[in-house]
Amino acid sequence: MTMKPDDNQDEVRVWRTQSGHDIAYRQITGAGPTVLWLGGFKSDMTGTKAQVLADMAVRAGFGFVRFDYFGHGATGGDWNAARIGLWRQDVLEVVDNLTKGPLVVVGSSMGGWMTTLLIKDRPERIKGAGFIAPAPDFTHALMLPNLNPEERHALTVSGAFVMTGYDQGVTMSQAFFDEAKDHLVFGAPLTFDGPVRILHGMKDDVVPWSHGVKLAEHISSGDVRLTLIKDGDHRLSGPEDLKLLTAMVQELIDA
């Protein structure tokens, strides 16, 4: 089935949440399960992987939804107010109000954490789950243990440090880490019976591929497949990586 999108499909729209902030999103309508894209930390819905899936949705005729979390992209908002729980609620706002029926959820990096939380919150909605360099619990499993002495000192003394590696420094507060404790997933069973597919680069210097293995072991489903890309980095946005992504999504749709 090939769908020709209406002129107003995939334009940026806004959903007003119950808490009063707006979520910017893009949506393509189609048949079958809707694919929900959950992006990474400090990324936005216009990234390469999200756009490839949007193009795929137009060609193949399935529904596709992507959005920007609070403090990200077109949604905007005061970064200092951003929390894991707020992003978790953003996901639920989108799922509950902008989608219907079964979902194939695809989470990239931090979006993988959001996917595991959605599995907990709306298990009946999820047909299949795809992960790209998944980073559940990254605050306590990956970020805090790897702070350099200067960052650790700043966090202890002033309650925040500035993380580099982005277009501009990102302020990370002790309040952010304290709140994140309420949303950790590796400390309790993660029950899910549907198909799970994980892509992880073995040259990922942000989220080690062992973290993807840990997630594969943690999910209860018997239908879990982990693909390790030996020369893959964290972004997994090269031509061959994108082919693996689209193949994974199609497999989850057809499962």
Side-chain angles (χ1 to χ4, degrees):
M1 173 183 177
T2 300
M3 176 187 65
K4 182 179 180 180
D6 297 331
D7 289 342
N8 65 347
Q9 288 222 73
D10 208 32
E11 67 180 5
V12 177
R13 305 177 187 181
V14 173
W15 172 260
R16 174 60 59 89
T17 68
Q18 292 183 357
S19 61
H21 75 269
D22 294 338
I23 297 175
Y25 71 98
R26 295 174 181 257
Q27 184 169 30
I28 296 169
T29 58
T34 296
V35 176
L36 173 66
W37 172 258
L38 299 179
F41 181 83
K42 296 301 288 185
S43 66
D44 62 49
M45 59 180 165
T46 65
T48 301
K49 293 185 288 292
Q51 188 58 53
V52 163
L53 293 183
D55 295 340
M56 180 184 177
V58 171
R59 292 194 308 271
F62 59 79
F64 182 64
V65 176
R66 49 182 163 157
F67 70 97
D68 288 335
Y69 311 109
F70 179 89
H72 290 68
T75 292
D78 178 7
W79 175 256
N80 292 322
R83 298 288 185 269
I84 295 295
L86 179 55
W87 298 334
R88 181 180 190 173
Q89 189 58 45
D90 282 351
V91 174
L92 292 179
E93 286 277 350
V94 170
V95 167
D96 293 345
N97 296 287
L98 303 177
T99 72
K100 295 181 180 180
L103 298 171
V104 168
V105 185
V106 183
S108 176
S109 193
M110 185 190 78
W113 189 355
M114 294 297 114
T115 300
T116 61
L117 292 172
L118 184 58
I119 287 172
K120 287 178 170 289
D121 292 335
R122 299 291 186 271
E124 73 284 355
R125 293 291 310 279
I126 303 177
K127 170 182 170 66
F131 297 87
I132 307 153
D137 298 6
F138 74 84
T139 51
H140 290 72
L142 301 174
M143 191 175 286
L144 285 175
N146 291 302
L147 295 183
N148 62 43
E150 293 78 12
E151 292 168 335
R152 193 173 301 281
H153 178 74
L155 189 62
T156 301
V157 172
S158 63
F161 70 94
V162 177
M163 182 169 57
T164 60
Y166 295 86
D167 292 339
Q168 51 186 308
V170 180
T171 300
M172 302 297 297
S173 68
Q174 185 63 55
F176 180 90
F177 291 107
D178 290 344
E179 193 275 343
K181 291 179 182 179
D182 295 335
H183 308 284
L184 301 177
V185 296
F186 279 136
L190 185 57
T191 302
F192 181 63
D193 296 329
V196 175
R197 302 292 181 264
I198 303 171
L199 303 177
H200 213 135
M202 296 183 74
K203 292 184 178 179
D204 189 334
D205 60 357
V206 178
V207 181
W209 61 265
S210 58
H211 206 67
V213 174
K214 183 176 181 179
L215 176 62
E217 294 173 333
H218 190 66
I219 297 178
S220 66
S221 173
D223 186 6
V224 177
R225 298 180 194 170
L226 168 65
T227 300
L228 296 176
I229 300 95
K230 191 169 184 179
D231 62 348
D233 59 11
H234 184 64
R235 293 184 69 245
L236 289 181
S237 293
E240 295 304 313
D241 303 323
L242 297 174
K243 289 179 182 178
L244 290 173
L245 171 62
T246 55
M248 175 184 77
V249 170
Q250 189 63 59
E251 183 178 358
L252 290 170
I253 290 172
D254 295 339

